[in-house]
Amino acid sequence: MTAYRRPAGVVHSVVKESGMVQVNLSKGLDKAYEDKSLAEILAAPPSALAGLTPADDAALKQHLGIDTVAELGSNKYFALAGVLVALANKEG
């Protein structure tokens, strides 16, 4: 099995001396959402994520009942897939 790799540049974090973590999500977000708060992004439609479109919003709504980024991120099927990928990466 080929190990999954996170798309380059989508999420970049920096741990500062203060122990706080800064996360740069700009490459993972649609330009219209780059300056929004976390709460605004989570309440936004999935197309707020770079690469997804309003057509994807409609398909996610119709087939999985997903209306927001928060619902997408907490969906049990996507969560399970993420865990399986993480486990596969540990095996490799």
Side-chain angles (χ1 to χ4, degrees):
M1 174 184 287
T2 303
Y4 172 81
R5 290 196 170 85
R6 176 173 42 92
V10 172
V11 176
H12 176 74
S13 63
V14 177
V15 178
K16 294 185 154 196
E17 288 180 24
S18 65
M20 295 181 67
V21 177
Q22 285 186 330
V23 180
N24 180 356
L25 299 172
S26 62
K27 291 185 180 180
L29 297 174
D30 183 91
K31 288 217 179 277
Y33 290 89
E34 288 179 356
D35 63 346
K36 302 292 184 192
S37 70
L38 181 57
E40 290 171 311
I41 294 166
L42 291 173
S47 59
L49 303 176
L52 295 181
T53 67
D56 297 318
D57 293 340
L60 286 165
K61 170 68 175 175
Q62 178 182 358
H63 298 290
L64 296 172
I66 293 173
D67 289 309
T68 67
V69 171
E71 290 172 354
L72 179 65
S74 61
N75 177 277
K76 66 182 180 181
Y77 302 111
F78 291 108
L80 177 58
V83 168
L84 292 171
V85 168
L87 289 172
N89 285 336
K90 296 290 182 193
E91 287 182 349

